[in-house]
Amino acid sequence: MDNTIRLPENVLAFARLELQKIADELEGIKVVVLATEDGFDIVSAVRDGSDPSRIAAMASSISAISTVVSEEANLGDSKNVIINTVSGFAVMQSIIRNDARLVLNAIANEKAVLAHVIYRTSHFANSLLTL
Amino acid sequence: MNEYKILFTGTMGAGKTTAIGSVSEAAPIVTDVANTDLSLGKERTTVGLDFGLLTLASGDRIRLFGTPGQQRFDFLWKILAKSAIGLIILVDNSRSDPLADLVVYLDGFAEDLSVLPCAIGIGRLDTHPVPTLEDYIDILANRNQLVPIMSVDVRRREDVVLLIDTLLAQLEANTFGA
Ligand SMILES: Nc1nc2c(ncn2[C@@H]2O[C@H](COP(=O)(O)OP(=O)(O)O)[C@@H](O)[C@H]2O)c(=O)[nH]1
Ligand SMILES: [Mg+2]
């Protein structure tokens, strides 16, 4: 896909390394995908056969819908969205860089600890903002 | 007073967001973000849904929903089509193969179209006269789908209202479905 988003090589390298670490180090992670705000996957680490491109599109929809909800309620910019289910959860973290508006999506099963995943995804987001 | 939900779909840039904005009474809900796909020359694109409200002269209230156009969002097509009483498909005649574009949505919504009325609006026929309305009618006839089709400019409120009226007329006359 020909995309207008060109992340600097050091950012891409960091994202590849860090997403793989999140997938390897945190128990229960099924897949982590860094995507553009309009739903294209850029970097991903997959452990369960998920299709990153579908996850990227869904994360983009959910983030956009969350944004209108938070605007309507005067809650300020949406930082993340969490879908908590009986057998796991999905965390979608917005990452607004000057050169790219991104969404990080982590999907985990019931073995994962929500707080750990949020800690790592927020930390990843902050790192991407300073790189 | 009745409340109806109508769904707008069609390719990116066909005018779904514009159509809903043209007729909605309150400020429409828009979930457009920056488009990064270079193969589609458009600045912003809908990735969630569009929503608007319209009260007809009869007092009936129409809830208007719009889908994202791109096929990678087809998981939303099904969700948004739930409980809709009709489907409006918009086509942009300036694209490279608008007939194929129409088929994408006829196929993508085939299940819904077997039970719901539909109206098709072709945009930019004034500047891009080919394919003609007859070409579209041939495609529909070959598929045994009798769907009203018209030339529209969705920036004009009356064109969008005509599409909606065409749907409601089919509901009243019960002349739709496969
Ligand atoms: N010239 C011309 N422009 C149109 C016509 N219909 C729609 N547009 C423009 O095409 C664009 C459609 O964008 P949008 O509504 O976001 O499309 P969506 O992707 O289907 O939601 C808008 O800029 C409209 O003003 C038409 O018949 N003629
Ligand atoms: Mg749109």
Side-chain angles (χ1 to χ4, degrees), chain A residues 1-5 36-40 54 57-58 60-61 64-65 68, chain B residues 29-31 33-38 45 47-49 72-76:
Chain A
M1 217 271 320
D2 222 359
N3 200 280
T4 51
I5 290 207
T36 63
E37 192 183 36
D38 64 336
F40 291 103
R54 283 192 71 75
M58 290 182 185
S60 138
S61 297
I65 291 169
V68 294
Chain B
I29 292 175
V30 176
T31 60
V33 300
N35 170 51
T36 69
D37 186 349
L38 284 172
T45 182
V47 295
L49 53 83
R72 70 178 185 280
F73 292 109
D74 60 2
F75 60 93
L76 273 179

Side-chain angles (χ1 to χ4, degrees), chain B residues 11-18 42 46 124 152-155:
Chain B
T11 44
M12 175 177 169
K16 304 171 292 294
T17 303
T18 304
K42 192 162 177 268
T46 306
R124 296 183 169 86
V152 293
D153 181 337
V154 291
R155 295 169 300 178

Side-chain angles (χ1 to χ4, degrees), chain B residues 39-95:
Chain B
S39 68
L40 300 159
K42 192 162 177 268
E43 220 168 282
R44 297 185 71 75
T45 182
T46 306
V47 295
L49 53 83
D50 299 305
F51 175 74
L53 265 176
L54 168 68
T55 309
L56 298 179
S58 60
D60 290 346
R61 281 163 63 82
I62 313 275
R63 294 182 295 139
L64 309 150
F65 284 81
T67 71
Q70 300 91 319
Q71 241 168 326
R72 70 178 185 280
F73 292 109
D74 60 2
F75 60 93
L76 273 179
W77 296 359
K78 300 233 165 4
I79 297 171
L80 291 170
K82 262 184 212 157
S83 77
I85 56 103
L87 189 68
I88 292 175
I89 303 177
L90 297 176
V91 178
D92 173 358
N93 223 42
S94 72
R95 282 173 46 95

Side-chain angles (χ1 to χ4, degrees), chain A residues 33-103:
Chain A
V33 181
L34 179 66
T36 63
E37 192 183 36
D38 64 336
F40 291 103
D41 53 307
I42 304 173
V43 177
S44 55
V46 182
R47 288 178 64 176
D48 71 339
S50 297
D51 176 355
S53 66
R54 283 192 71 75
I55 290 170
M58 290 182 185
S60 138
S61 297
I62 291 170
S63 294
I65 291 169
S66 310
T67 299
V68 294
V69 172
S70 50
E71 273 168 10
E72 191 83 11
N74 284 313
L75 289 174
D77 290 341
S78 159
K79 292 194 284 195
N80 60 32
V81 181
I82 297 160
I83 302 173
N84 215 339
T85 79
V86 287
S87 52
F89 53 85
V91 176
M92 280 143 280
Q93 171 78 42
S94 298
I95 307 173
I96 310 298
R97 283 171 56 93
N98 289 330
D99 59 353
R101 301 175 64 91
L102 308 168
V103 186

